[in-house]
Amino acid sequence: MRSLILLLFLTSGLVSLAQGSFTISGYVKDAATGETLIGANVYAKETMTGTTTNTYGYYVLNLPAGTYTVVMSYVGFEETSQTVDLSADVKLNIDARTKAIATKEFEVVGEKVDNTESTQMGTVDIDVQKLSTLPALLGEVDILKTIQYLPGVKSNGEGNSGFYVRGGGPDQNLILLDNATVYNASHLFGFFSVFNADAVKNIELIKGGMPANYGGRTSSVLDITMKDGNDKGFHGQGGIGLISSRLTLEGPIVKDKSSFIVSGRRTYIDVLAKPFMNPEGAFAGSGYYFYDLNAKANYRLSDKDRFFLSGYFGRDVFELKGSEPGSPDFRIPWGNATFSGRWNHVFGPKLFLNTTAIFSDYQFSFKGGQDDFSFGLSSGIKDYGLKLDFNQYPSVRHSLKYGVNYTYHIYTPSTVDVASGDTEFQIDTPSKLKAHEAAAYIQDDYDVTDLLRVNAGVRLSYFAHVGDFKEYILDEGGNTSGIRNYSPGETIKAYYGLEPRLSMRYTTGPSSSVKASFNRNLQYVHLASFSSIGLPTDVWIPSGKNVKPQVAYQYAAGYFRDLWDRKYEASVEVYYKDMFNQIEYREGAQPQDGGNTNYDALLVFGKGWSYGAEFFLKRRLGKFTGWAGYTWSKTMRRFDAIDNGDPFPSRWDRRHDISLVVGYELNERWSFGSTFVYSTGQATTLPVQRYFIEGRVVSQFSERNGFRMAPYHRLDFAATLKNKPTKEVKDKTTGEVTTIQRKYRSSWTFSVYNAYNRANPYFYYFTTEGTSANNDLRPVAKQVSLFSILPSVTWNFHF
């Protein structure tokens, strides 16, 4: 509370600068649905002084007294203008209407935020409505796979929805769904993301110049906002694909005042496969499926107060059941649950508050056995949090954000249960790890001159690992020599630090600018992974006595330009990032090794660095849209306990990365899309020599990640056919024929994944051919590839 009072005091001087001016403020909404519009442009035509709406559609214009024409513009909507006589503060809510189909300008997926105007670097807004026109694996529209087409964002491999930003690992991406952290964003072992695009309103990716209101991660922010629901009328949409179906329903609770949205999705791989499985086969009872549910409701008490409740629940379930005696039997469920409760309050036209209560839960478990042997493994993380975020608009040149937040973490480290017959192995259940995390921040987006804009901020963060906790005292050989018990609430280890954030933009011409940014980020949670593909066995652990917070310094600069009446935009960005206190499991560690020892006993620590250049060219408007991106980068790691302390390439190091995305609107019914990607092969560790010694094969491995897989490249196509948007109706009395809009719309999307059937490597393994008796026994490397050419079809509907 003291920090918040100090922040309010610091801003009071800025408020005085605005004395004598007045405000025009309000919300911008879609007139057809009541959904607020994020990032809509609102400006005074006479002075060209403007602003954009915040995450909740709220805007403020600070202007001297006078008469102004207030203009609202937003891609896909009609430009509106209203005359305002400003002699006192004015409340002006704006209803935006969708452009008529005949005059609609088509917008590409991946709309960057204010390419040349804002101070933000490496920030992309994604148009959710256009996702369905892009090719997708098995017809499943995927938000995370879409952002992999952007420069600086790298895929985790064939079909995988994991992503890596500017050399950072998967744990260094802050993924938010309505302000709640999502710890595992993947279904089907990483092949699909947990986000149902039908329930999503806005997607923002920040990969450079992270603002001070975000923290807790060192690489990027993926901020996803769910739809609020239609408060004008009841509607639904959905789709039926090859492996899953989805349905979304939305409508008013009280018309023009409150609304709801419910969206569900489920795969039916298990249902479709069952008729083709032999009921007496070895694994007749096996199956896999996932499902997720999104729900949200909101209620507007007044123009100053609005409440939101939103939640997500999703689960993957993989079962292997043997029908024969002695066959294995196991079940692996895992998934996320999140809840957000938010209250928006407008204190006055210049001060906006959002208060958020947050719950997040990720759980993984494995239960299996064979004959009399059984084995169990579980882990998870649970968060309870509270955030207060203020937006203040003291003057035309200043836009302030400040606030405080607190999170209580409960980590469940890898918990192992082993039994054989009537014998249970004495493996202690590890203590749940508890921690407090808090932060206060302030930032100012300040127009120093008409040409120079600066966004300066600072974040003060605090983290404490607390009891109750049982610590194993280990000797030099790693054996337990004693136990120390910490009492509930006792501080085991605490950290705090300042995180300065600075970005600036200097306008070099009517359609160009240069930008630069510097970030220092602290991250107090870590993801310990046994794999490079982001499996659910990965374990989240906190900073503590031996695990220090991750620290990253990122420096970036770029040149940005709009071309040909802003139909095109281009940018070049360069960056350098230092990363400290990185973690890895030590050589040979396995998930089951976590019993009867400390959670950090299997870890080794080191540092990393990454640098690169990103090139981006996009066509925004017209029937032809799309972009081309190229990234050159290098990402290295150094650990004293690995390769004698020599530097080695990170598993996420890709020297070259190319992406091409093209869309074409042929007419109001047919649209086409195509994507092409190329990237340098993944770095991995493989045997370089194998010897036969006394009938045994002995392998000599390369240095860490000293081998490159074959390059990855793929071409996809998609075509979408919509039904006619209008129909003719004949009056039975007069015989007059009129054309009306259809209430029911549908479309078919046909896509081809991996069009030229590229056999991209998923992993390599080694086997032997020949026999020692014939003296021709030799090791042979084999490549495993997942997907050949895959056609798919999806039927989508809307009513």
Side-chain angles (χ1 to χ4, degrees):
M1 182 58 69
R2 290 181 180 178
S3 298
L4 185 58
I5 293 171
L6 176 61
L7 293 174
L8 290 169
F9 175 75
L10 290 174
T11 61
S12 63
L14 290 173
V15 176
S16 64
L17 296 175
Q19 299 301 320
S21 67
F22 300 103
T23 64
I24 303 173
S25 62
Y27 292 88
V28 179
K29 300 179 182 179
D30 184 335
T33 66
E35 289 274 0
T36 56
L37 300 183
I38 302 172
N41 298 303
V42 183
Y43 63 94
K45 192 173 183 179
E46 289 75 10
T47 63
M48 294 306 293
T49 301
T51 187
T52 58
T53 54
N54 68 8
T55 306
Y56 301 96
Y58 185 76
Y59 75 94
V60 175
L61 279 175
N62 283 287
L63 297 166
T67 301
Y68 298 96
T69 304
V70 178
V71 180
M72 188 287 302
S73 66
Y74 195 74
V75 175
F77 288 80
E78 298 284 355
E79 184 174 281
T80 65
S81 62
Q82 298 183 52
T83 301
V84 175
D85 186 7
L86 190 61
S87 57
D89 292 339
V90 172
K91 188 75 172 180
L92 181 63
N93 294 326
I94 301 173
D95 289 330
R97 301 188 182 279
T98 306
K99 286 185 177 180
I101 293 175
T103 62
K104 182 178 179 181
E105 292 179 306
F106 299 103
E107 180 191 14
V108 68
V109 178
E111 175 65 10
K112 295 186 77 174
V113 178
D114 296 332
N115 184 49
T116 61
E117 294 297 323
S118 77
T119 57
Q120 291 179 309
M121 297 184 63
T123 301
V124 181
D125 274 359
I126 296 176
D127 180 7
V128 182
Q129 302 304 317
K130 293 295 182 180
L131 292 182
S132 60
T133 64
L134 292 180
L137 175 63
L138 295 174
E140 283 296 303
V141 174
D142 197 303
I143 291 171
L144 296 189
K145 286 192 177 69
T146 301
I147 69 173
Q148 292 173 4
Y149 297 128
L150 300 170
V153 183
K154 301 184 186 300
S155 165
N156 196 23
E158 178 71 273
N160 202 284
S161 62
F163 66 100
Y164 307 90
V165 178
R166 292 184 173 179
D171 61 323
Q172 296 174 357
N173 303 315
L174 178 62
I175 302 177
L176 300 173
L177 180 63
D178 273 1
N179 277 343
T181 302
V182 178
Y183 283 97
N184 188 316
S186 299
H187 284 306
L188 191 57
F189 300 100
F191 290 105
F192 301 105
S193 76
V194 300
F195 304 113
N196 182 351
D198 289 348
V200 172
K201 175 164 69 173
N202 189 70
I203 308 163
E204 183 180 48
L205 173 69
I206 304 172
K207 54 191 175 75
M210 190 185 298
N213 55 305
Y214 294 108
R217 299 295 186 275
T218 58
S219 278
S220 73
V221 178
L222 183 64
D223 196 349
I224 299 173
T225 305
M226 288 174 55
K227 292 178 180 177
D228 297 330
N230 193 317
D231 66 7
K232 305 294 183 182
F234 183 80
H235 294 277
Q237 67 180 96
I240 300 174
L242 292 181
I243 67 167
S244 73
S245 291
R246 63 191 193 279
L247 177 65
T248 300
L249 300 174
E250 58 181 325
I253 300 172
V254 177
K255 191 172 182 180
D256 295 328
K257 198 166 188 178
S258 66
S259 61
F260 75 93
I261 182 170
V262 178
S263 184
R265 177 176 59 163
R266 191 193 191 277
T267 60
Y268 29 70
I269 304 171
D270 54 329
V271 178
L272 295 178
K274 189 168 290 187
F276 301 98
M277 297 182 69
N278 183 353
E280 299 180 356
F283 300 104
S286 303
Y288 169 83
Y289 62 92
F290 72 75
Y291 61 90
D292 44 39
L293 177 70
N294 296 80
K296 188 172 183 178
N298 71 89
Y299 189 84
R300 188 172 67 253
L301 292 175
S302 66
D303 283 342
K304 290 189 174 184
D305 294 281
R306 192 170 185 180
F307 290 96
F308 302 83
L309 294 176
S310 58
Y312 166 84
F313 183 84
R315 282 291 181 270
D316 288 66
V317 178
F318 179 44
E319 293 181 298
L320 182 67
K321 293 183 178 179
S323 59
E324 298 179 356
S327 58
D329 187 349
F330 62 81
R331 176 182 172 87
I332 312 176
W334 72 93
N336 300 275
T338 68
F339 172 81
S340 300
R342 288 176 291 169
W343 167 48
N344 290 169
H345 178 69
V346 180
F347 286 99
K350 295 184 180 183
L351 185 59
F352 180 94
L353 167 67
N354 179 60
T355 303
T356 310
I358 299 165
F359 171 78
S360 179
D361 184 26
Y362 170 70
Q363 299 292 331
F364 163 80
S365 67
F366 173 100
K367 290 289 184 182
Q370 187 173 10
D371 296 326
D372 291 334
F373 177 79
S374 64
F375 175 78
L377 180 69
S378 61
S379 63
I381 180 171
K382 190 176 294 185
D383 287 350
Y384 300 88
L386 183 67
K387 295 182 179 180
L388 281 79
D389 298 292
F390 292 86
N391 287 32
Q392 189 168 355
Y393 311 90
S395 72
V396 68
R397 290 190 176 273
H398 289 273
S399 177
L400 290 170
K401 290 185 179 180
Y402 49 90
V404 294
N405 57 70
Y406 166 79
T407 304
Y408 179 57
H409 301 284
I410 303 175
Y411 303 83
T412 303
S414 291
T415 303
V416 181
D417 299 305
V418 182
S420 182
D422 295 330
T423 303
E424 293 189 4
F425 294 88
Q426 295 301 312
I427 301 177
D428 292 344
T429 300
S431 301
K432 290 190 175 182
L433 310 175
K434 302 176 179 67
H436 302 288
E437 184 173 1
Y441 72 89
I442 183 170
Q443 71 176 33
D444 184 12
D445 203 26
Y446 173 41
D447 285 314
V448 182
T449 69
D450 290 341
L451 299 179
L452 178 62
R453 175 180 291 178
V454 175
N455 186 301
V458 65
R459 184 180 183 92
L460 174 62
S461 57
Y462 170 83
F463 186 91
H465 178 203
V466 298
D468 58 328
F469 177 67
K470 180 168 65 176
E471 179 186 12
Y472 294 89
I473 309 300
L474 306 179
D475 59 24
E476 293 183 359
N479 301 310
T480 301
S481 60
I483 292 176
R484 178 179 176 181
N485 291 301
Y486 290 87
S487 59
E490 181 180 357
T491 299
I492 301 167
K493 183 66 176 180
Y495 297 95
Y496 63 90
L498 284 174
E499 303 176 49
R501 314 287 175 81
L502 177 66
S503 59
M504 59 186 68
R505 177 230 69 206
Y506 185 81
T507 301
T508 57
S511 58
S512 64
S513 64
V514 292
K515 301 181 185 182
S517 67
F518 166 75
N519 281 13
R520 182 180 191 263
N521 294 61
L522 294 173
Q523 179 171 330
Y524 299 102
V525 296
H526 312 255
L527 185 66
S529 176
F530 290 97
S531 168
S532 64
I533 58 174
L535 294 176
T537 51
D538 297 345
V539 179
W540 289 92
I541 59 175
S543 298
K545 289 182 69 174
N546 300 314
V547 182
K548 296 180 180 179
Q550 298 184 56
V551 183
Y553 297 85
Q554 182 173 228
Y555 313 84
Y559 176 72
F560 299 78
R561 187 174 184 88
D562 294 328
L563 305 167
W564 292 289
D565 295 327
R566 300 186 183 271
K567 287 185 178 180
Y568 293 82
E569 64 180 50
S571 63
V572 178
E573 295 185 51
V574 294
Y575 70 90
Y576 181 88
K577 183 194 292 186
D578 272 321
M579 295 167 280
F580 299 94
N581 304 327
Q582 305 298 288
I583 70 167
E584 294 275 1
Y585 276 115
R586 60 172 167 78
E587 297 285 358
Q590 296 296 325
Q592 63 269 23
D593 296 340
N596 291 345
T597 190
N598 295 322
Y599 71 93
D600 54 13
L602 305 179
L603 302 176
V604 294
F605 308 95
K607 67 178 182 178
W609 58 95
S610 180
Y611 53 89
E614 301 167 2
F615 302 84
F616 188 70
L617 175 65
K618 181 176 71 176
R619 179 181 168 91
R620 295 179 59 249
L621 301 173
K623 288 196 169 185
F624 268 112
T625 57
W627 73 77
Y630 169 71
T631 303
W632 183 96
S633 63
K634 187 173 184 177
T635 303
M636 302 293 289
R637 295 287 190 270
R638 178 186 286 139
F639 287 72
D640 290 339
I642 299 176
D643 284 353
N644 300 313
D646 294 331
F648 60 89
S650 165
R651 73 184 73 168
W652 307 296
D653 178 53
R654 307 281 195 279
R655 195 69 69 247
H656 304 283
D657 193 270
I658 300 171
S659 59
L660 299 172
V661 177
V662 177
Y664 178 65
E665 298 275 357
L666 179 64
N667 51 44
E668 64 183 20
R669 298 194 63 192
W670 278 101
S671 62
F672 301 90
S674 180
T675 59
F676 172 78
V677 292
Y678 172 92
S679 66
T680 301
Q682 180 177 315
T684 188
T685 307
L686 293 178
V688 293
Q689 296 288 340
R690 283 199 163 187
Y691 306 96
F692 296 97
I693 301 175
E694 298 180 354
R696 295 184 301 110
V697 178
V698 179
S699 300
Q700 178 184 342
F701 285 85
S702 69
E703 62 273 11
R704 174 66 69 97
N705 295 337
F707 181 83
R708 288 282 178 180
M709 292 185 179
Y712 181 95
H713 50 89
R714 193 189 76 243
L715 177 67
D716 307 328
F717 292 106
T720 300
L721 173 64
K722 302 174 184 176
N723 69 342
K724 291 183 178 180
T726 59
K727 64 179 180 179
E728 293 183 346
V729 178
K730 185 176 182 179
D731 189 291
K732 295 181 180 180
T733 304
T734 64
E736 182 181 358
V737 177
T738 57
T739 301
I740 62 173
Q741 293 286 328
R742 292 182 183 269
K743 293 183 179 180
Y744 173 84
R745 300 296 309 274
S746 67
S747 66
W748 290 90
T749 298
F750 310 92
S751 64
V752 179
Y753 182 89
N754 196 9
Y756 55 79
N757 202 27
R758 162 71 175 177
N760 286 301
Y762 189 59
F763 65 84
Y764 296 126
Y765 72 95
F766 284 82
T767 185
T768 56
E769 293 183 354
T771 64
S772 57
N774 295 331
N775 202 29
D776 62 351
L777 186 65
R778 63 190 184 279
V780 177
K782 299 283 188 178
Q783 174 182 304
V784 174
S785 300
L786 286 183
F787 301 117
S788 59
I789 183 171
L790 283 176
S792 63
V793 59
T794 304
W795 178 61
N796 300 298
F797 57 89
H798 184 278
F799 59 88

